[in-house]
DNA sequence: CTGTCTTGTCGAAGCGCTTCGATTGCCGGA
DNA sequence: TCCGGCAATCGAAGCGCTTCGACAAGACAG
């Protein structure tokens, strides 16, 4: 056992009394090997604690056994979701015997070119894709197998996975209606969000309003998210316009506490005569009083699906271009 | 330009009219090459968009150019800190031309054995090391160059980096004294924390009390963190025992909101006649009203230092066994 | 004007693995 | 009995890179 220099396939072969190629075939299953021989090889592998040299393997087989995951680590992303995502991706990748290389989005297109050209990874998961994302263009050019989380403007030929926002809007409306509300409203995202991800906010709105047809009145309005005062004004205006309003969905994380404040000021007893539900990647609902039900991004599922799709692509199978994941409505 | 099969060093050599080995030497700088030749090679590299094949490189040079980072991704760790950490580590690693492989702690010792044996990484950063950590033992056995964040019980022969908790305690006391407090107290961690990381909580306490000598009275008491009621009782008892108390340091993240509640009930005006400072990995101070100054774990710095140390070890240099990082007191 | 260093470059030998014929027995059908 | 066919295994040829020893040319001292 040559501990300092590492156990090679030759060591295993010698120990099992076979050729190196036979060991390789036992391990990969790419040719049939007699059970007796296979067993001897496996024993030798176990006894020597053999693990194939990743570099040699990737050189010979043109498969690195590693996928890259590019996360927007630098700016103020929703951390918990990102972690869930990373955790889910690593776990799922390991189930497929792959490792995960972590990249930050600020490596940008050049980073993609680098990992692609150096064959250090077999494929790529790109998180938090924006509508106009320079990385998407680079990706298409490189031809590196990939799965995106989120939808760019031109998704042709790409595999994308995302939350089904229409369903999220619908779920919120359903929840409120289920609580007996007959007049409901959606406070939407701020302008910035609309710019960053076209469709994303609109889809929530669409789902909400469609389901809202079932009650007396349903409407949606945008909501600023930067300063407390304008949020509160927005809420006041809404309440003034719709005195019968009893259900509110908020699709705007930073605004939530201020909305709650404004409702309290207006004498609304949330959870009793008035109902609020939140759509947000974070557990915003947890942080306010009373706790609010919320529609979460099922980050772990998204990651699983993304990695699963990528694996299938790497194995040459087809996967759907677009996969929408059902949101989860959590009631506290 | 053979786009489909990848640009190899031979392509670059041909284009520059030199031998492949010359290209290698230009890129690595391991032998002197005439400026003229070097320039021609660099031009060819740029024109062809050449990136060395990572597997081939690691096979030939016994250096993978990748480090592993093992994070406790699964349980309810302090997410923001983890992200800052991951981000810092990746950024710093890239500055050293290394990539980062992400592993979860639940791969455990077996995961370490795998990455070590397969030479997929050159070294390892182990986060959130606990006092009795089975991975530490495995690590020592493997002889894989590594840096730990946190201190295991037996740190002999290991490189460890962590926050200087004594300094953190001292900083808190200093802050309170600086605000004019003459009678101060530290509400410490719960029992569980004490068990997990010996020394960690004691050191904060030590630093706090040492600096506290400078005023009329300073004391420290443990604090439960699970249920609001017992936290509030603890605070009430403290206030009853020390009617002159005007400064409080809280080293117990989940208890913070309840402490604030209890103080408000007792009629203390935090920020005016009473001062509170928080030690916590999260921006807890941000979430309560009024915002509290807090001593943060400088996660990004920790990561930078850890990666820097690892790089130096990989290059054969010595690094200190133990590095303590100064805490940052942030005043809102 | 030799002999000895340097300096810059080349060629070849691997690194540890996969993979593609080729080879060896062994079976059953003719 | 002979031979085609199949199953099990081997050997050798790379994969793309680094690195070591060689080797031309100058540079320089003697």
């Amino acid at each position: 056992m040559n501990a300092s220099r590492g156990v090679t396939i030759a060591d295993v072969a010698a120990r099992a009394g076979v050729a190196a190629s036979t060991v390789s075939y036992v391990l990969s299953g790419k040719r049939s090997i007699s059970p007796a021989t296979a067993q001897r090889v496996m024993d030798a592998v176990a006894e020597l604690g053999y693990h194939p040299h990743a570099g040699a393997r990737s050189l010979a087989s043109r498969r690195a056994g590693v996928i890259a995951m590019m996360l927007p680590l630098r700016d103020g992303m929703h951390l918990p979701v990102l972690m869930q995502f990373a955790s889910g991706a690593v776990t799922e990748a390991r189930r497929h015997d792959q490792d995960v290389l972590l990249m930050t989005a600020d490596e940008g297109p050049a980073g993609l070119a680098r990992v692609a050209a150096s064959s250090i990874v077999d494929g790529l998961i790109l998180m938090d894709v924006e509508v106009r994302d320079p990385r998407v263009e680079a990706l298409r050019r490189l031809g590196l197998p990939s799965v995106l989380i989120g939808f760019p403007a031109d998704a042709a030929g790409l595999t994308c996975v995302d939350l089904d926002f229409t369903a999220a809007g619908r779920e919120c409306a359903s929840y409120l209606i289920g609580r007996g509300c007959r007049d409901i409203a959606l406070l939407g995202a701020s302008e910035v969000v609309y710019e960053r991800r076209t469709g994303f906010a609109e889809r929530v709105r669409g789902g909400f309003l469609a389901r809202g047809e079932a009650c007396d009145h349903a409407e949606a309005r945008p909501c600023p998210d930067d300063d407390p005062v304008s949020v509160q004004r927005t809420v006041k205006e809404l309440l003034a316009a719709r005195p019968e309003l009893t259900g509110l969905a908020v699709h705007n994380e930073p605004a939530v506490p201020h909305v709650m404040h404004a409702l309290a000021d207006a004498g609304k007893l949330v959870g009793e005569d008035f109902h609020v539900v939140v759509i947000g990647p974070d557990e915003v609902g947890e942080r306010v009083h009373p706790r609010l039900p919320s529609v979460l991004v099922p980050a772990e599922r998204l990651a699983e699906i993304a990695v699963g799709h990528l694996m299938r692509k790497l194995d040459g199978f087809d996967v759907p271009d677009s996969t929408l994941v059902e949101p989860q409505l959590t009631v506290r």
Side-chain angles (χ1 to χ4, degrees), chain A:
Chain A
M1 221 171 314
N2 194 340
S4 67
R5 286 270 152 262
V7 180
T8 74
I9 199 171
D11 299 335
V12 176
R15 169 79 108 132
V18 299
S21 52
T22 303
V23 175
S24 178
Y25 286 125
V26 169
L27 262 24
S28 71
K30 294 194 177 169
R31 279 197 186 177
S32 66
I33 297 289
S34 73
T37 306
Q39 190 55 56
R40 246 178 319 128
V41 169
M42 294 311 284
D43 290 348
V45 165
E47 286 160 20
L48 299 176
Y50 169 71
H51 289 269
H53 185 290
R57 187 204 276 272
S58 102
L59 182 55
S61 69
R62 323 194 132 267
R63 270 273 221 151
V66 179
I67 61 176
M69 174 166 72
M70 203 182 229
L71 297 180
L73 283 178
R74 297 209 70 64
D75 52 33
M77 271 294 294
H78 296 296
L79 289 334
V81 176
L82 237 48
M83 286 320 278
Q84 277 175 263
F85 189 83
S87 163
V90 172
T91 306
E92 180 68 9
R94 288 300 312 140
R95 294 205 321 108
H96 293 269
D97 267 309
Q98 299 268 319
D99 277 297
V100 174
L101 199 72
L102 184 60
M103 303 182 68
T104 64
D106 41 52
E107 277 210 66
L112 298 182
R114 182 177 63 83
V115 294
S118 65
S119 300
I120 197 176
V121 300
D122 300 321
L124 176 67
I125 306 249
L126 208 55
M127 262 215 78
D128 196 46
V129 171
E130 302 186 2
V131 175
R132 286 245 141 278
D133 202 315
R135 299 174 301 173
V136 170
E137 187 41 43
L139 203 54
R140 218 191 302 264
R141 204 171 32 244
L142 292 169
L144 188 67
S146 58
V147 175
L148 317 194
I149 312 289
F151 282 83
D154 176 16
L158 297 169
T159 306
C160 304
V161 180
D162 208 347
L163 178 67
D164 185 341
F165 286 100
T166 307
R170 201 166 47 223
E171 283 297 304
C172 286
S174 290
Y175 168 80
L176 296 174
I177 292 171
R179 281 284 174 288
C181 307
R182 303 298 308 157
D183 189 334
I184 64 180
L186 166 72
L187 281 180
S190 67
E191 307 307 319
V192 189
V193 175
Y194 281 84
E195 280 166 29
R196 273 185 57 205
R197 299 214 194 178
T198 311
F200 151 76
E202 280 84 346
R203 293 207 293 278
V204 170
R205 194 185 135 108
F208 184 84
L209 295 179
R211 184 70 180 79
E213 306 254 303
C215 56
D216 300 340
H217 178 86
E219 68 170 271
R221 34 176 94 185
C223 177
D225 59 8
D226 36 5
D227 95 290
V229 179
S230 43
V231 172
Q232 297 190 11
R233 187 180 342 109
T234 305
V235 176
K236 286 214 174 74
E237 286 168 10
L238 175 63
L239 292 176
R242 310 290 320 166
E244 305 289 294
L245 192 80
T246 54
L248 188 60
V250 185
H251 179 204
N252 185 327
E253 193 189 345
V256 171
H258 312 310
V259 169
M260 294 305 285
H261 238 108
L263 289 175
D265 286 353
K268 301 292 182 189
L269 291 172
V270 172
E272 305 186 16
D273 62 358
F274 198 93
H275 297 279
V276 178
V277 58
V278 171
I279 303 179
D282 202 344
E283 292 91 344
V284 227
E286 282 282 304
R287 296 227 203 108
V288 292
H289 184 80
R291 290 162 159 207
L292 263 22
S294 55
V295 170
L296 298 176
V297 175
E300 212 144 346
R301 282 250 22 243
L302 270 177
E304 251 177 66
I305 291 173
V307 172
H309 277 13
L310 184 55
M311 292 301 125
R312 243 157 286 141
K313 284 180 88 164
L314 291 180
D315 292 340
F317 296 112
D318 275 347
V319 298
D321 281 354
S322 148
T323 306
L324 293 177
V325 179
E326 288 301 299
Q328 301 168 333
L329 180 80
T330 313
V331 180
R332 319 283 168 185

